[in-house]
Amino acid sequence: MNQFGLILKHARNLGFEEEPNYKYMRGLLESICQQEKITVDYKFDWCK
């Protein structure tokens, strides 16, 4: 699963004041869930 490596690379390349691209990272995590057939429950308020 290269997605975890891409997430780490993205995070490591951020500047101190720079905000992560959450949409990009969430997409990578969702693709892992699809590949592994994991059901994700987005009923948490912090997942908006």
Side-chain angles (χ1 to χ4, degrees):
M1 281 186 219
N2 192 28
Q3 292 92 336
F4 284 120
L6 292 172
I7 292 170
L8 289 174
K9 182 178 179 181
H10 175 71
R12 288 180 180 153
N13 287 326
L14 290 171
F16 182 75
E17 296 286 329
E18 199 172 353
E19 187 170 319
N21 184 340
Y22 292 111
K23 187 174 182 177
Y24 169 71
M25 294 193 308
R26 184 175 179 173
L28 291 171
L29 291 171
E30 286 176 348
S31 70
I32 293 170
C33 291
Q34 288 175 351
Q35 288 175 2
E36 299 298 320
K37 297 176 177 53
I38 298 170
T39 303
V40 180
D41 181 4
Y42 290 108
K43 296 181 183 176
F44 301 106
D45 60 346
W46 47 266
C47 288
K48 294 178 183 179

